């Protein structure tokens, strides 16, 4: 990729997009396009086309999406399906029509069947029913993959797809109604410690297994793929390490320094029992995750405390 040409990072204010901007800027990419949300709504097809007509990005990163944790996904399937289809369709179509030389579409590990063989290989896609709590989001992401692959096959457009596992890191959403488990527990444990509470509530049984990837690792993988990969096959991006939700909660208590107990709310959904990606395609290409979970949680907690104190955390 040419470092002097314009690159659109759609979703630059989000967890993934923000980290991708930092990564590309640090690597010397000098023209990163970051239209403000108020100035350009990616759900508006005509507005997106006008923007592309003027700016002509040479590469596009589709990190803009309606995202959220298990509860938000379960409660708002219309927005998760409709808004994501609109955002990605408009960006992918405009990238093709206005001459982008490369596009990277970010999917999610929830595209794989609920009971996919673990660790989940890329070939598991469409091999069985999806997890119901995030089916709408998963269907939208699968449609995005298929659209990129269709442009690749029919028009030879190098539109590639990365499938990240559960992400976390600085800039995450700490709003308890919408957030993913890791920021939610960091906040709950921090608040329990500050309030001198005896316990922290954890949704579900604590038994589901999840893999977590620091968003700076994701950003590094995205740059690696943009620079080195040009295939139709989707590529999993993960750390290869999994923990149970109970183990995650215990680790967060250690990092925060909370000595109280955990209280499991088995009335809340567990979601997918296990979600571990097979990352051998990506490691085979030469990329590996670097940030250990404990270190990543400690850095995220430091960021959260600073943002919380400054009143700028998303909550
Ligand atoms: O991160 P999370 O919301 O999403 O939840 P998923 C992971 C697990 O943590 C579930 C449990 O078993 C939750 O029940 N959990 C425990 C909590 N306490 C909490 C809490 O306070 N907040 C939250 N949010 N969870 C998402 C999908 O699935 O994964 C998205 O809904 C996306 O579509 C994302 O794919 C990566 O890992 O279950």
């Amino acid at each position: 990729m040419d470092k002097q040409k314009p690159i659109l990072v759609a979703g630059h204010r989000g967890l993934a997009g923000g980290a991708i901007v930092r990564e590309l800027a640090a690597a010397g990419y000098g023209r990163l396009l970051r239209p403000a949300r108020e100035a350009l709504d990616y759900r508006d097809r005509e507005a997106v086309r006008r923007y592309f007509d003027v700016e002509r990005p040479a590469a596009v990163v589709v990190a803009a999406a309606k995202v959220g944790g298990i509860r938000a996904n379960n409660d708002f399937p219309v927005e998760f399906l409709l808004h994501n289809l609109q955002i990605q369709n408009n960006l992918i179509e405009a990238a093709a029509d206005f001459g982008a030389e490369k596009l990277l579409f970010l999917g999610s590990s929830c595209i794989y069947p609920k009971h996919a063989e673990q660790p989940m290989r890329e070939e598991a896609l469409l091999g069985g029913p999806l997890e119901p709590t995030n089916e709408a989001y998963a269907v939208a992401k699968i449609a995005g993959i298929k659209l990129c692959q269709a442009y690749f096959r029919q028009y030879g457009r190098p539109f590639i797809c990365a499938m990240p596992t559960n992400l976390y890191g600085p800039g995450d959403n700490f709003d308890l109604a919408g957030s993913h488990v890791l920021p939610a527990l960091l906040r709950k444990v921090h608040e329990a410690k500050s309030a001198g509470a005896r316990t922290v509530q954890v949704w579900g049984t604590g038994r589901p297994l999840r893999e977590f990837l620091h968003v700076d690792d994701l950003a590094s993988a995205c740059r690696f793929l943009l620079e080195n990969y040009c295939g139709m096959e989707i590529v999993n991006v993960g750390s290869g390490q999994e923990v149970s939700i109970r183990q995650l909660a215990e680790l967060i208590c250690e990092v925060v320094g909370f000595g109280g107990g955990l209280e499991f709310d088995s009335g809340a959904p567990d979601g997918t029992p296990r979600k571990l990606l097979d990352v051998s395609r990506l490691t085979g290409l030469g990329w590996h995750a670097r940030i250990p979970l404990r270190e990543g949680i400690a850095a995220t907690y430091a960021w959260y405390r600073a943002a919380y104190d400054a009143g700028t955390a998303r909550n």
Side-chain angles (χ1 to χ4, degrees):
M1 289 209 306
D2 189 329
K3 294 191 171 173
Q4 306 315 318
K5 288 188 178 175
I7 300 175
L8 171 61
V9 182
H12 69 278
R13 290 212 314 214
L15 176 66
I20 292 167
V21 165
R22 292 194 297 275
E23 170 77 24
L24 292 177
Y29 288 90
R31 292 180 65 196
L32 300 176
L33 303 176
R34 286 161 284 176
R37 183 175 294 195
E38 304 70 38
L40 178 58
D41 182 345
Y42 295 122
R43 293 172 300 176
D44 180 342
R45 181 171 179 270
E46 291 315 311
V48 170
R49 295 182 75 78
R50 279 196 301 275
Y51 181 83
F52 272 71
D53 197 13
V54 172
E55 300 294 344
R56 303 274 165 171
V60 177
V61 179
V62 184
K66 166 92 181 145
V67 298
I70 191 166
R71 180 163 288 174
N73 267 269
N74 202 32
D75 291 351
F76 303 107
V78 171
E79 286 74 15
F80 276 84
L81 182 53
L82 185 61
H83 292 183
N84 282 316
L85 286 173
Q86 291 170 330
I87 292 166
Q88 68 204 31
N89 283 349
N90 292 341
L91 285 165
I92 295 167
E93 185 192 23
D97 290 350
F98 292 94
E101 293 154 22
K102 192 129 194 194
L103 178 141
L104 172 64
F105 175 69
L106 292 188
S108 164
S109 58
C110 72
I111 59 160
Y112 295 115
K114 173 170 185 160
H115 297 296
E117 194 181 318
Q118 306 283 325
M120 300 183 291
R121 301 177 63 222
E122 288 86 349
E123 289 75 15
L125 183 60
L126 293 176
L130 297 162
E131 155 62 28
T133 55
N134 57 33
E135 190 184 57
Y137 182 69
V139 166
K141 288 295 183 184
I142 293 169
I145 294 168
K146 291 296 166 189
L147 187 57
C148 289
Q149 291 177 333
Y151 270 113
F152 215 123
R153 185 166 64 81
Q154 193 179 334
Y155 295 115
R157 307 309 299 260
F159 291 178
I160 63 174
C161 302
M163 296 305 118
T165 193
N166 287 34
L167 302 172
Y168 73 97
D172 210 338
N173 175 11
F174 289 83
D175 169 5
L176 295 180
S179 63
H180 291 96
V181 61
L182 197 152
L185 290 181
L186 256 183
R187 176 174 176 173
K188 286 187 196 176
V189 172
H190 172 74
E191 290 181 350
K193 183 186 172 192
S194 308
R198 291 168 59 180
T199 57
V200 165
Q201 198 189 62
V202 181
W203 296 352
T205 61
R207 286 196 292 270
L209 294 162
R210 292 289 184 275
E211 175 187 17
F212 294 95
L213 182 73
H214 192 283
V215 73
D216 289 351
D217 271 338
L218 170 80
S220 151
C222 288
R223 178 163 74 88
F224 177 85
L225 289 169
L226 281 165
E227 291 174 347
N228 300 295
Y229 181 71
C230 193
M232 248 174 83
E233 291 80 23
I234 63 176
V235 183
N236 288 340
V237 185
S239 59
Q241 307 289 315
E242 66 180 341
V243 290
S244 71
I245 296 303
R246 174 189 285 276
Q247 288 169 323
L248 176 73
E250 289 169 352
L251 182 54
I252 288 174
C253 288
E254 276 176 44
V255 170
V256 172
F258 174 65
L262 301 174
E263 203 178 286
F264 290 92
D265 172 8
S266 52
D270 269 344
T272 310
R274 191 176 176 203
K275 212 164 31 164
L276 177 66
L277 292 177
D278 180 322
V279 289
S280 50
R281 182 170 289 167
L282 184 55
T283 55
L285 290 167
W287 185 90
H288 296 265
R290 292 182 193 284
I291 305 173
L293 185 57
R294 178 185 290 270
E295 194 181 294
I297 290 174
T300 306
Y301 183 46
W303 180 90
Y304 172 68
R305 291 191 68 175
Y308 194 74
D309 290 346
T312 54
R314 283 195 285 157
N315 57 15

Coordinates of all heavy atoms in Angstrom, one line a residue, residues 68-71 73-74 80 108-111 131 133-134 137-138 164-167 176 178-182 184-185 188 201-206 208 210 212 245 248 268-272 275, ligand 1:
G68 N -22.0 -4.5 20.1 CA -22.4 -4.5 21.5 C -22.2 -5.9 22.0 O -21.9 -6.8 21.3
G69 N -22.5 -6.0 23.3 CA -22.4 -7.3 24.0 C -23.6 -8.1 23.9 O -24.6 -7.7 23.1
I70 N -23.7 -9.2 24.6 CA -24.7 -10.2 24.5 C -26.1 -9.6 24.7 O -27.1 -9.9 23.9 CB -24.4 -11.4 25.4 CG1 -25.3 -12.5 25.1 CG2 -24.5 -11.0 26.9 CD1 -24.9 -13.8 25.8
R71 N -26.3 -8.7 25.6 CA -27.6 -8.2 25.9 C -28.1 -7.2 24.8 O -29.2 -7.3 24.3 CB -27.6 -7.4 27.3 CG -29.0 -6.8 27.6 CD -29.1 -6.5 29.1 NE -29.2 -7.7 29.9 CZ -29.2 -7.6 31.2 NH1 -29.1 -6.5 31.9 NH2 -29.3 -8.7 31.9
N73 N -27.1 -7.1 21.7 CA -27.4 -8.0 20.5 C -28.7 -8.6 20.6 O -29.5 -8.7 19.6 CB -26.3 -9.0 20.4 CG -25.1 -8.6 19.5 OD1 -25.1 -8.8 18.3 ND2 -24.1 -8.0 20.2
N74 N -29.0 -9.1 21.8 CA -30.3 -9.9 22.0 C -31.5 -8.9 21.9 O -32.5 -9.3 21.4 CB -30.2 -10.6 23.3 CG -31.1 -11.7 23.4 OD1 -31.4 -12.4 22.4 ND2 -31.6 -12.0 24.6
F80 N -29.0 -4.2 14.8 CA -27.8 -4.9 14.5 C -27.8 -5.5 13.1 O -26.7 -5.6 12.4 CB -27.6 -6.1 15.5 CG -26.9 -5.5 16.8 CD1 -27.7 -4.9 17.8 CD2 -25.6 -5.6 17.0 CE1 -27.1 -4.4 18.9 CE2 -24.9 -5.1 18.1 CZ -25.7 -4.5 19.1
S108 N -16.5 -10.9 12.5 CA -16.6 -11.3 14.0 C -16.5 -12.8 14.1 O -17.0 -13.5 13.2 CB -17.8 -10.7 14.6 OG -18.1 -11.3 15.8
S109 N -16.0 -13.3 15.2 CA -16.0 -14.7 15.4 C -17.5 -15.3 15.6 O -17.6 -16.5 15.5 CB -15.2 -15.1 16.7 OG -15.7 -14.4 17.8
C110 N -18.5 -14.4 15.8 CA -19.8 -14.9 16.0 C -20.5 -15.3 14.7 O -21.6 -15.8 14.7 CB -20.7 -13.9 16.7 SG -21.1 -12.5 15.8
I111 N -19.7 -15.2 13.5 CA -20.3 -15.7 12.3 C -20.3 -17.2 12.2 O -21.0 -17.8 11.4 CB -19.4 -15.2 11.1 CG1 -17.9 -15.7 11.2 CG2 -19.5 -13.7 10.9 CD1 -17.1 -15.7 10.0
E131 N -25.6 -18.9 16.9 CA -26.0 -18.6 18.3 C -27.2 -17.6 18.3 O -27.0 -16.5 17.7 CB -24.8 -18.1 19.1 CG -25.1 -17.2 20.3 CD -25.9 -17.9 21.4 OE1 -25.8 -19.1 21.5 OE2 -26.6 -17.2 22.1
T133 N -28.5 -15.4 20.4 CA -28.4 -14.1 20.9 C -27.7 -13.1 20.0 O -27.9 -11.9 20.1 CB -27.6 -14.1 22.3 OG1 -26.3 -14.7 22.1 CG2 -28.4 -14.8 23.4
N134 N -26.9 -13.6 19.1 CA -26.3 -12.6 18.1 C -26.5 -13.0 16.7 O -25.7 -12.6 15.8 CB -24.8 -12.4 18.5 CG -24.0 -13.7 18.5 OD1 -24.3 -14.6 17.7 ND2 -23.0 -13.7 19.3
Y137 N -26.6 -9.9 14.1 CA -25.2 -9.3 13.9 C -24.4 -10.3 13.0 O -23.8 -9.9 12.0 CB -24.5 -9.1 15.2 CG -23.2 -8.5 15.1 CD1 -23.0 -7.2 14.8 CD2 -22.0 -9.2 15.5 CE1 -21.7 -6.6 14.7 CE2 -20.8 -8.7 15.5 CZ -20.6 -7.4 15.1 OH -19.4 -6.8 15.1
A138 N -24.5 -11.6 13.3 CA -23.7 -12.6 12.6 C -24.2 -12.6 11.1 O -23.4 -12.7 10.2 CB -23.9 -13.9 13.2
P164 N -12.1 -11.0 13.6 CA -11.5 -10.9 15.0 C -12.3 -11.6 16.0 O -13.6 -11.7 15.9 CB -11.6 -9.4 15.3 CG -12.2 -8.7 14.1 CD -12.8 -9.8 13.2
T165 N -11.7 -12.1 17.0 CA -12.3 -12.7 18.2 C -12.8 -11.6 19.1 O -12.7 -10.4 18.7 CB -11.3 -13.7 18.9 OG1 -12.0 -14.4 19.8 CG2 -10.2 -12.9 19.6
N166 N -13.2 -11.9 20.3 CA -13.7 -10.8 21.2 C -12.6 -9.8 21.5 O -11.5 -10.2 22.0 CB -14.2 -11.4 22.5 CG -15.5 -12.1 22.4 OD1 -15.8 -12.7 21.3 ND2 -16.4 -12.1 23.4
L167 N -12.8 -8.5 21.3 CA -11.8 -7.5 21.4 C -12.0 -6.8 22.7 O -13.1 -6.7 23.2 CB -11.9 -6.5 20.2 CG -11.7 -7.1 18.9 CD1 -12.0 -6.0 17.8 CD2 -10.3 -7.7 18.6
L176 N -22.8 -0.4 30.8 CA -23.1 -1.8 31.2 C -24.2 -2.4 30.4 O -24.3 -3.6 30.2 CB -23.5 -1.8 32.7 CG -22.3 -1.5 33.6 CD1 -22.7 -1.5 35.1 CD2 -21.1 -2.4 33.4
G178 N -24.7 -1.9 27.1 CA -24.3 -2.2 25.8 C -22.9 -2.9 25.6 O -22.6 -3.4 24.6
S179 N -22.2 -2.9 26.7 CA -20.8 -3.3 26.5 C -20.6 -4.9 26.5 O -21.5 -5.6 26.9 CB -19.9 -2.8 27.7 OG -20.4 -3.3 28.9
H180 N -19.4 -5.2 26.1 CA -19.0 -6.6 26.1 C -18.5 -7.0 27.6 O -18.4 -6.1 28.4 CB -17.8 -6.9 25.2 CG -18.3 -6.8 23.7 ND1 -18.2 -5.7 23.0 CD2 -18.9 -7.7 22.9 CE1 -18.7 -5.9 21.8 NE2 -19.1 -7.1 21.7
V181 N -18.3 -8.2 27.8 CA -18.0 -8.7 29.1 C -16.8 -8.1 29.8 O -16.8 -7.7 31.0 CB -18.0 -10.2 29.2 CG1 -16.8 -10.8 28.4 CG2 -17.8 -10.7 30.6
L182 N -15.7 -7.9 29.1 CA -14.4 -7.5 29.7 C -14.5 -6.1 30.3 O -14.3 -5.8 31.5 CB -13.3 -7.7 28.8 CG -11.9 -7.7 29.5 CD1 -10.9 -8.6 28.7 CD2 -11.3 -6.3 29.6
A184 N -17.3 -4.5 30.9 CA -18.3 -4.5 31.9 C -17.8 -4.9 33.3 O -18.1 -4.3 34.3 CB -19.5 -5.4 31.5
L185 N -17.0 -6.0 33.3 CA -16.5 -6.5 34.5 C -15.5 -5.6 35.1 O -15.4 -5.4 36.3 CB -16.0 -8.0 34.4 CG -17.1 -9.0 34.1 CD1 -16.4 -10.4 34.0 CD2 -18.1 -9.0 35.2
K188 N -17.5 -2.9 36.7 CA -18.3 -3.4 37.9 C -17.3 -3.7 39.1 O -17.6 -3.3 40.2 CB -19.0 -4.7 37.6 CG -20.2 -4.6 36.7 CD -20.9 -5.9 36.7 CE -21.9 -6.1 35.6 NZ -22.5 -7.4 35.5
Q201 N -21.6 -8.8 40.6 CA -22.5 -9.7 39.9 C -21.9 -10.0 38.5 O -21.5 -9.1 37.8 CB -23.9 -9.1 39.8 CG -24.9 -10.2 39.4 CD -26.3 -9.6 39.1 OE1 -26.4 -8.8 38.1 NE2 -27.2 -10.0 39.9
V202 N -21.9 -11.3 38.1 CA -21.5 -11.7 36.8 C -22.6 -12.4 36.1 O -23.3 -13.2 36.7 CB -20.3 -12.7 37.0 CG1 -19.8 -13.2 35.6 CG2 -19.1 -12.1 37.8
W203 N -22.9 -12.0 34.9 CA -24.1 -12.6 34.2 C -23.7 -14.1 33.8 O -22.6 -14.4 33.5 CB -24.4 -11.9 32.9 CG -24.8 -10.4 33.0 CD1 -25.1 -9.8 34.2 CD2 -25.0 -9.5 32.0 NE1 -25.5 -8.5 33.9 CE2 -25.4 -8.3 32.6 CE3 -24.8 -9.5 30.6 CZ2 -25.6 -7.1 31.8 CZ3 -25.0 -8.4 29.8 CH2 -25.5 -7.2 30.5
G204 N -24.8 -14.9 33.8 CA -24.6 -16.3 33.4 C -24.0 -17.1 34.4 O -23.9 -16.8 35.6
T205 N -23.5 -18.3 33.9 CA -23.0 -19.3 34.9 C -21.5 -19.1 35.1 O -20.9 -19.8 36.0 CB -23.2 -20.7 34.3 OG1 -22.5 -20.7 33.0 CG2 -24.7 -21.0 34.0
G206 N -20.8 -18.3 34.3 CA -19.4 -18.2 34.4 C -18.6 -19.3 33.7 O -17.4 -19.3 33.6
P208 N -19.1 -20.2 30.2 CA -18.7 -20.1 28.8 C -17.2 -19.7 28.7 O -16.6 -19.1 29.5 CB -19.5 -18.9 28.3 CG -20.7 -18.9 29.3 CD -20.2 -19.3 30.6
R210 N -14.2 -18.0 26.4 CA -14.0 -16.9 25.4 C -12.5 -16.7 25.2 O -11.7 -16.8 26.1 CB -14.7 -15.6 25.8 CG -16.2 -15.6 25.9 CD -16.8 -15.6 24.5 NE -18.2 -15.5 24.6 CZ -19.1 -16.5 24.8 NH1 -18.6 -17.7 24.9 NH2 -20.4 -16.3 24.8
F212 N -9.9 -13.6 24.1 CA -9.8 -12.2 24.0 C -8.5 -11.7 23.3 O -7.5 -12.3 23.5 CB -9.8 -11.6 25.5 CG -11.2 -11.9 26.2 CD1 -11.3 -13.0 27.0 CD2 -12.3 -11.1 25.9 CE1 -12.6 -13.3 27.6 CE2 -13.5 -11.3 26.5 CZ -13.6 -12.4 27.3
I245 N -15.4 -17.4 31.7 CA -15.9 -16.1 32.2 C -15.5 -16.0 33.7 O -15.2 -14.9 34.2 CB -17.4 -15.9 31.9 CG1 -17.6 -15.8 30.4 CG2 -17.9 -14.6 32.6 CD1 -16.9 -14.8 29.6
L248 N -11.9 -15.1 33.9 CA -11.8 -13.7 33.5 C -12.1 -12.8 34.6 O -11.4 -11.8 35.0 CB -12.6 -13.4 32.3 CG -12.6 -11.9 31.8 CD1 -11.3 -11.6 31.2 CD2 -13.8 -11.6 30.9
A268 N -29.3 -14.7 33.5 CA -28.8 -14.0 32.4 C -28.2 -15.0 31.4 O -27.7 -16.1 31.8 CB -27.7 -13.0 32.8
P269 N -28.3 -14.7 30.1 CA -27.8 -15.6 29.1 C -26.3 -15.9 29.1 O -25.5 -14.9 29.3 CB -28.3 -15.0 27.7 CG -28.4 -13.6 28.0 CD -28.8 -13.4 29.4
D270 N -25.9 -17.1 28.8 CA -24.5 -17.5 28.6 C -24.0 -17.2 27.2 O -22.8 -16.9 26.9 CB -24.3 -18.9 28.9 CG -24.0 -19.2 30.4 OD1 -23.6 -18.3 31.1 OD2 -24.1 -20.4 30.8
G271 N -25.0 -17.3 26.2 CA -24.5 -17.2 24.8 C -23.8 -18.5 24.4 O -24.0 -19.5 24.9
T272 N -23.0 -18.3 23.4 CA -22.2 -19.4 22.8 C -21.4 -20.1 23.9 O -20.7 -19.4 24.7 CB -21.2 -18.9 21.8 OG1 -21.9 -18.1 20.9 CG2 -20.5 -20.0 21.0
K275 N -15.9 -20.2 22.2 CA -15.6 -19.4 21.0 C -14.1 -19.2 20.9 O -13.6 -18.2 21.3 CB -16.4 -18.1 21.1 CG -16.8 -17.6 19.8 CD -17.9 -16.4 19.8 CE -18.0 -15.5 20.9 NZ -18.8 -14.3 20.6
Ligands
LIG1 O1 -18.9 -10.2 25.8 P1 -20.3 -10.7 25.7 O2 -21.3 -9.7 26.0 O3 -20.6 -11.3 24.3 O4 -20.5 -11.8 26.8 P2 -20.5 -12.7 23.6 C1 -19.6 -12.9 27.0 C2 -20.0 -13.7 28.2 O5 -19.8 -13.0 29.4 C3 -21.5 -14.2 28.2 C4 -20.9 -13.1 30.2 O6 -21.5 -15.5 28.7 C5 -22.1 -13.2 29.2 O7 -23.2 -13.7 29.9 N1 -21.0 -11.9 31.1 C6 -20.9 -12.0 32.5 C7 -21.2 -10.7 30.8 N2 -21.0 -10.8 33.0 C8 -21.3 -9.9 32.0 C9 -21.5 -8.5 31.9 O8 -21.6 -7.8 32.9 N3 -21.7 -8.0 30.7 C10 -21.6 -8.7 29.5 N4 -21.8 -8.1 28.3 N5 -21.4 -10.1 29.6 C11 -20.8 -11.1 21.6 C12 -21.8 -11.0 20.5 O9 -21.0 -12.3 22.2 O10 -19.5 -11.2 21.1 C13 -21.4 -10.0 19.5 O11 -23.0 -10.7 21.1 C14 -20.0 -10.0 19.1 O12 -22.2 -10.2 18.4 C15 -19.1 -10.2 20.3 O13 -19.8 -11.1 18.2 C16 -17.6 -10.3 19.9 O14 -19.0 -13.1 23.5 O15 -21.4 -13.7 24.2

